[in-house]
């Protein structure tokens, strides 16, 4: 017990020291709430055969890429010496950070950097990015799988160019087919 002296001549007052332990609140355990699911209703109607839009041909639907890059033709691509990273990201419909990541992972992408540190892609880099985009996004390769695929050499570029020319022929034929209808 502590005693406090009164400086003005009164009797000393005894103070009760407070314990430093906080008061504990009782913990109440509640039982879990049980969810009762109703059985699914029986369906008497027959499902419809197809819910595809009329504009999509079911045979061709598998070949349509998820996000096709909007890269200009070679002549238009070669018209500029350098493309900023934002413009290249818009061409491929990807984030700028993804292009930076691909730059770290793949040795064939080597954009120039100015004094400020901005990346400037040459048309050759964009063609390599187009190949990497094809392998990763359309063919669904992993990063390591795409790296080993690219190490095979010139056959990779020949196969890619053949696929690109076949895609152009396919779009031309689909346009002709829609024109006949």
């Amino acid at each position: 017990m502590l005693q406090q002296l009164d400086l003005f001549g009164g009797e000393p007052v005894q103070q009760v020291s407070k314990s430093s332990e906080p008061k504990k609140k009782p913990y109440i355990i509640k039982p879990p709430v049980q969810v009762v699911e109703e059985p699914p209703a029986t369906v008497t109607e027959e499902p419809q055969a197809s819910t595809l839009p009329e504009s999509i041909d079911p045979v061709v639907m598998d070949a349509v890429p998820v996000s096709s890059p909007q890269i200009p033709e070679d002549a238009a691509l070669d018209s500029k010496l350098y493309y900023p990273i934002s413009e290249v990201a818009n061409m491929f419909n990807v984030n700028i950070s993804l292009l930076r990541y691909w730059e770290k992972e793949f040795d064939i992408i080597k954009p120039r950097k100015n004094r400020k540190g901005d990346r400037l892609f040459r048309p050759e880099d964009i063609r390599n990015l187009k190949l990497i985009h094809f392998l990763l996004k359309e063919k669904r390769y992993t990063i390591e799988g795409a790296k080993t695929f690219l190490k095979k050499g010139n056959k990779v570029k020949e196969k890619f160019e053949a696929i690109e020319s076949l895609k152009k022929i396919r779009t031309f034929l689909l346009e002709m087919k829609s024109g006949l209808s």
Side-chain angles (χ1 to χ4, degrees):
M1 295 292 201
L2 300 173
Q3 289 186 351
Q4 181 178 1
L5 297 175
D6 189 11
L7 298 175
F8 299 106
E11 292 288 321
V13 180
Q14 290 191 358
Q15 291 183 345
V16 180
S17 64
K18 297 181 181 178
S19 64
S20 62
E21 296 179 23
K23 293 182 181 180
K24 295 182 181 178
K25 295 182 180 179
Y27 184 72
I28 301 172
I29 300 175
K30 296 181 182 179
V33 179
Q34 294 181 351
V35 178
V36 179
E37 295 183 14
E38 296 181 18
T42 57
V43 178
T44 56
E45 299 177 11
E46 293 183 22
Q48 295 179 356
S50 176
T51 58
L52 291 175
E54 295 177 16
S55 63
I56 298 177
D57 189 6
V59 175
V60 181
M61 192 173 82
D62 291 338
V64 176
V66 176
S67 63
S68 60
Q70 303 296 323
I71 300 169
E73 295 294 322
D74 286 338
L77 189 65
D78 291 332
S79 65
K80 289 173 69 175
L81 292 177
Y82 296 105
Y83 291 88
I85 192 168
S86 59
E87 196 172 326
V88 176
N90 289 336
M91 285 181 195
F92 287 99
N93 299 323
V94 296
N95 291 332
I96 294 173
S97 60
L98 183 64
L99 292 178
R100 288 190 206 116
Y101 177 71
W102 285 353
E103 177 191 346
K104 287 182 199 173
E105 292 295 320
F106 296 98
D107 295 335
I108 61 173
I109 303 172
K110 294 180 180 152
R112 303 283 189 236
K113 292 183 182 178
N114 62 9
R115 290 182 185 183
K116 190 175 162 185
D118 297 336
R119 289 167 174 83
L120 299 172
F121 290 86
R122 295 172 294 158
E124 176 187 332
D125 293 325
I126 295 175
R127 288 184 191 98
N128 290 332
L129 280 171
K130 188 176 179 182
L131 176 62
I132 290 170
H133 185 272
F134 171 75
L135 292 174
L136 296 176
K137 300 293 183 179
E138 293 182 29
K139 287 290 191 176
R140 305 282 185 195
Y141 278 49
T142 61
I143 297 285
E144 293 301 318
K147 283 180 186 178
T148 56
F149 190 81
L150 290 172
K151 287 181 183 176
K152 290 181 182 177
N154 292 336
K155 291 184 180 181
V156 174
K157 290 188 179 185
E158 291 172 2
K159 286 181 184 180
F160 178 68
E161 290 171 0
I163 290 171
E164 288 296 311
S165 65
L166 288 174
K167 281 183 183 180
K168 288 178 184 176
I169 293 170
R170 180 178 163 271
T171 55
F172 174 72
L173 290 174
L174 288 174
E175 288 174 0
M176 285 186 60
K177 178 183 173 185
S178 66
L180 294 174
S181 300

